[in-house]
């Protein structure tokens, strides 16, 4: 299980716009996705983007079953999403706590679109087209932000709602990021 180091906020690559994947179903793309899967699983992440492990390509993976970092979250099907396009449905935003493997030990309240239409491809080039809402929509927006050089603290409106997990959730069983 080759776990890759996750780049932390401050690394220049995390602020860059990632390049589109040009070829699907290649050994290189499959190896990248395997590295992302192993790293996400090892760190109990809800998702991870290729730039977080140092690869500037428009690839994200996400999925939430039973996750100790998000014990109350609704389930999100495991998805490999390549070259995604996100379109908000309506203007309704919902505030919610977010954490990030690239911002370890911290959480913040982030506004996200409640409903979302996203498209893209799996690693084999098969099209993906979904209408989602709630936590699923939040996870997709968070991960795809990484592809445009955006980290969740950049979206926080009130920095009084941003801090260290062990302080914000003192006495609760919320794991570090």
């Amino acid at each position: 299980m080759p776990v890759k180091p996750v780049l932390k906020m401050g690394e220049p690559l995390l602020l860059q716009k990632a390049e589109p994947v040009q070829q699907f179903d290649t050994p290189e793309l499959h190896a990248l996705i395997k590295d992302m899967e192993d790293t996400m699983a090892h760190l109990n992440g809800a998702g991870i983007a290729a730039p977080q492990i140092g690869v500037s390509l428009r690839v994200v993976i996400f999925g939430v079953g039973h996750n100790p970092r998000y014990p109350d979250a609704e389930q999100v099907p495991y998805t490999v999403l390549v070259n995604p396009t996100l379109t908000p449905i309506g203007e309704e935003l919902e505030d919610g706590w977010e954490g990030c493997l690239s911002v370890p030990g911290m959480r913040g309240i982030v506004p996200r679109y409640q409903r979302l239409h996203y498209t893209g491809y799996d690693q084999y080039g098969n099209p993906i087209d979904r209408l989602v809402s709630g936590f699923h929509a939040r996870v997709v927006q968070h991960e795809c932000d990484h592809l445009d050089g955006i980290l969740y603290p950049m979206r926080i409106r009130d920095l009084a709602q941003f801090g260290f997990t062990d302080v914000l959730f003192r006495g609760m069983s919320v794991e570090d990021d």
Side-chain angles (χ1 to χ4, degrees):
M1 183 157 125
V3 175
K4 297 293 184 182
V6 174
L7 300 183
K8 292 182 182 164
M9 189 169 68
E11 290 282 349
L13 188 133
L14 291 176
L15 300 175
Q16 296 175 9
K17 185 172 176 115
E19 296 295 319
V21 170
Q22 299 295 325
Q23 293 185 314
F24 297 92
D25 199 16
T26 65
E28 296 82 11
L29 183 58
H30 294 300
L32 170 62
I33 291 165
K34 178 70 170 132
D35 287 346
M36 292 169 67
E37 289 171 343
D38 291 345
T39 303
M40 183 177 89
H42 178 74
L43 298 171
N44 290 319
I48 196 167
Q52 290 181 275
I53 62 166
V55 179
S56 189
L57 287 175
R58 299 186 74 77
V59 180
V60 300
I61 64 172
F62 53 86
V64 179
H66 171 69
N67 187 318
R69 284 182 61 232
Y70 300 95
D72 300 322
E74 63 194 63
Q75 293 197 1
V76 176
Y78 174 77
T79 303
V80 173
L81 185 59
V82 180
N83 297 342
T85 301
L86 279 56
T87 306
I89 300 172
E91 298 297 320
E92 184 180 351
L93 297 174
E94 181 176 65
D95 287 340
W97 287 103
E98 292 189 17
C100 181
L101 299 174
S102 292
V103 189
M106 301 190 83
R107 296 272 172 110
I109 296 282
V110 180
R112 297 282 186 189
Y113 288 102
Q114 168 63 24
R115 298 179 64 234
L116 183 70
H117 175 225
Y118 69 87
T119 60
Y121 302 90
D122 69 12
Q123 67 266 39
Y124 302 102
N126 299 312
I128 294 172
D129 187 331
R130 294 182 181 157
L131 298 173
V132 298
S133 62
F135 188 65
H136 188 150
R138 176 171 298 280
V139 169
V140 174
Q141 289 169 83
H142 176 108
E143 296 309 331
C144 289
D145 266 358
H146 283 294
L147 305 180
D148 293 323
I150 299 168
L151 296 167
Y152 84 88
M154 298 170 178
R155 295 207 181 269
I156 294 173
R157 293 181 178 163
D158 179 1
L159 289 177
Q161 297 177 316
F162 176 56
F164 290 95
T165 306
D166 61 349
V167 175
L168 291 168
F169 302 102
R170 191 174 288 135
M172 297 176 69
S173 63
V174 177
E175 288 195 11
D176 274 347
D177 295 313

